[in-house]
Amino acid sequence: MDAIMNSSPIIPAVAVPEGAGVTVYRTIGSPALRDHDPFLLLDHISSNNPDDYSAGFPLHPHRGFVTFTYIIDGHMAHQDDMGNSGDLGPGSAQWMKAASGVIHSEMPQQENGLLRGFQLWINLPAANKMDHPEYQEYSAEAFPIVETPDYTLKVLIGRFADTHAPIRDNSTDVTYFDVHVQPGKHFQHRLPAGNNSLLYVFEGSGQFNAQIVLPHSLVILDTDDHSFDFIAGKKGTRFIVISGKPIHEPIARYGPFVMNSREEIDQAMRDFQTNTFVRDRAWIKRNR
């Protein structure tokens, strides 16, 4: 990954099929960037064409990490083998700590129109990979918004200045912002020292370190400098900014399982095949 960061900080998303045939735009988790510790995957779904999303994501397992799903437009329903159900509409989000094991589905609840959002996979330290699962769902109104003459910022995870999101990640101190910058204006931000950080543009274009950044592009932010200045293009720019503390542990992954060794991956596969995958049904559910 060092070679990628030294040669270019900008990584274009690649369109890949996921689930039962959903088209997603992937940056982290692609051949160009396998991971960006503690982040394992970043998928962006954005389409007006129901052929791109209507098949959804039928029942599938996860173990060893957290998924954070943020819906910007459209409607997505969640169900899992613990009996939880979720209803994600515009601006809402879901934090699911799969940890020891979850089997769930994510299905669009619309036959046409725009479906747009993100899913981020956040790794868990080895000590927490077999924790109890947790499920939390938040309405759009739960997330605070910071407004300035230059930009509007929604705080989804962590904090921005003195504004705190309802979601905090105690393992890797993740922060996650949705930022809309006005045409020609600046967004300046200082990153936590030692974090791995990124910026993904999904509306408009802008300029970062004298380079033009187009939609569906990921910028790896320089953690040595700790601060950056992004200038929006003539039509404005909208992007997400994500930062987290690296775990610095071995990563073994196979499909929906992310552990620390091949032996743990093999065990996850055996558990799934023998119907012993869900280790603990003491599921924590909080709807917000």
Side-chain angles (χ1 to χ4, degrees):
M1 191 176 71
D2 289 340
I4 293 172
M5 292 179 65
N6 290 335
S7 61
S8 174
I10 300 174
I11 298 171
V14 293
V16 297
E18 264 299 339
V22 178
T23 299
V24 299
Y25 297 95
R26 180 167 297 168
T27 45
I28 303 175
S30 70
L33 186 65
R34 297 304 302 169
D35 59 79
H36 192 47
D37 188 11
F39 307 116
L40 302 165
L41 178 141
L42 180 62
D43 280 352
H44 172 212
I45 183 170
S46 180
S47 181
N48 278 298
N49 183 356
D51 292 341
D52 290 338
Y53 60 73
S54 60
F57 306 90
L59 282 172
H60 58 280
H62 290 304
R63 175 178 284 181
F65 57 96
V66 169
T67 67
F68 178 70
T69 304
Y70 173 41
I71 297 297
I72 298 172
D73 297 290
H75 188 184
M76 186 81 76
H78 160 95
Q79 288 190 324
D80 61 50
D81 60 342
M82 300 290 183
N84 295 298
S85 60
D87 186 18
L88 296 177
S92 64
Q94 172 201 96
W95 174 275
M96 189 178 76
K97 181 180 176 181
S100 60
V102 171
I103 302 173
H104 79 140
S105 65
E106 299 157 297
M107 300 300 293
Q109 298 299 293
Q110 60 194 73
E111 295 181 356
N112 52 59
L114 178 62
L115 180 63
R116 187 165 64 148
F118 292 92
Q119 185 166 95
L120 176 71
W121 290 11
I122 307 166
N123 201 10
L124 284 168
N128 302 113
K129 283 188 177 291
M130 297 301 288
D131 282 357
H132 295 237
E134 297 180 15
Y135 175 79
Q136 302 169 49
E137 183 182 328
Y138 299 86
S139 68
E141 294 73 24
F143 299 104
I145 295 175
V146 176
E147 294 192 60
T148 77
D150 293 348
Y151 61 83
T152 300
L153 182 148
K154 178 185 284 192
V155 188
L156 293 158
I157 306 176
R159 68 182 179 90
F160 179 81
D162 295 327
T163 304
H164 293 258
I167 304 173
R168 294 185 63 184
D169 173 30
N170 295 322
S171 296
T172 50
D173 294 332
V174 170
T175 56
Y176 189 126
F177 312 136
D178 177 354
V179 186
H180 189 181
V181 187
Q182 296 300 316
K185 299 298 184 179
H186 293 245
F187 174 72
Q188 298 173 324
H189 182 56
R190 185 169 181 83
L191 303 162
N195 274 21
N196 283 336
S197 307
L198 56 96
L199 181 155
Y200 181 89
V201 174
F202 63 96
E203 284 183 17
S205 62
Q207 187 171 316
F208 176 83
N209 288 350
Q211 289 185 277
I212 299 299
V213 185
L214 300 175
H216 295 189
S217 297
L218 181 84
V219 181
I220 300 295
L221 301 175
D222 187 352
T223 54
D224 291 333
D225 187 21
H226 305 317
S227 60
F228 71 92
D229 182 5
F230 192 96
I231 307 171
K234 294 181 179 180
K235 296 183 179 180
T237 313
R238 191 172 176 186
F239 50 80
I240 55 173
V241 178
I242 303 172
S243 182
K245 182 172 62 179
I247 296 172
H248 298 304
E249 291 180 352
I251 296 175
R253 63 192 296 171
Y254 181 79
F257 310 133
V258 183
M259 305 300 288
N260 294 99
S261 69
R262 181 65 206 189
E263 291 75 19
E264 290 170 331
I265 293 292
D266 291 343
Q267 183 63 56
M269 294 176 65
R270 285 194 297 270
D271 290 345
F272 185 63
Q273 292 165 356
T274 59
N275 201 30
T276 57
F277 183 73
V278 178
R279 296 290 183 90
D280 196 329
R281 293 188 177 271
W283 182 266
I284 302 171
K285 179 182 179 182
R286 297 199 301 272
N287 286 314
R288 305 219 175 147

